[in-house]
Amino acid sequence: MRSFIQILIGVVLAVATLVATGLVYVKATGLRGQPEPGLIETRVARTIRAFAIPREMRARTNPLVGSESARWLGLEHFARYCALCHGNDGSGVKSAIGRGLLPKPPDMRALATQGLTDGELFYIIENGVRFTGMPAFGTGTSDQAGDKQAWELVTFIRRLPQITADEIGYMESLNPL
Ligand code: HEC
């Protein structure tokens, strides 16, 4: 009986400490969108995100890989719906909205993004990333046209490290005002 009471007191103290830490965090940060998350927070967040993506989704491969037309269609969607945060070249830095988002949209030309599997990219486009500015573009149900569009975007994201000035010029003509 005594040990039960001791455990109970321990649990209550632990919960109270957690709540107090949470309140201090909320007050100290004002829950502002800034400052930028540090390296450790970013690493931890990316690891948890990778863990959260179901294994069978991660293992999916792009059915449109190597398709010229998919790459161009992906480029057009990207210019219209993604570039406002990610920039036409995927670097994220030049876009008005991307600059103020924390965590920032990463440089998608770099290994951190290019090293994600096709399935991971597809899953992120369809479902977004919780607690960040990355919106979900899927409808939440299996929809062939939507899936095709997401795979076209994956095809285009693979192109980003070699994107040309001509392609960027064409994207600029499609960017929303
Ligand atoms: C409103 C801003 C916004 C828009 C619009 C947006 N994104 Fe994002 N995106 C983000 C942010 C912020 C992140 C970083 C999320 C994180 O830190 O996990 C992100 C992350 C990603 C990632 C993961 C990259 C990585 O290495 O973590 C992919 C892939 C992606 N976006 C694709 C897209 C595509 C494709 C579109 C358009 C259909 C799009 N995004 C539109 C803000 C946006």
Side-chain angles (χ1 to χ4, degrees), residues 50-61 117-120 122-123 151:
F51 173 73
I53 300 179
R55 191 193 301 251
E56 65 279 10
M57 291 302 298
R58 250 200 329 254
R60 291 182 78 178
T61 51
T117 66
D118 290 347
E120 282 175 311
F122 178 88
Y123 184 91
W151 287 123

Side-chain angles (χ1 to χ4, degrees), residues 58-79:
R58 250 200 329 254
R60 291 182 78 178
T61 51
N62 184 356
L64 306 177
V65 71
S67 154
E68 258 309 89
S69 74
R71 177 155 72 74
W72 282 102
L73 288 168
L75 176 148
E76 289 172 355
H77 305 315
F78 198 90

Side-chain angles (χ1 to χ4, degrees), residues 46 49 81-82 84-86 101 103-106 108 112-113 116 121 124-125 129 132-135 137 153 157:
R46 287 187 77 92
R49 193 185 71 185
Y81 303 111
C82 319
L84 69 161
C85 289
H86 288 284
L101 275 175
K104 279 192 195 314
M108 298 220 272
T113 302
L116 296 173
L121 292 173
I124 290 170
I125 296 168
V129 182
T132 79
M134 173 61 197
F137 286 90
L153 284 162
I157 290 171

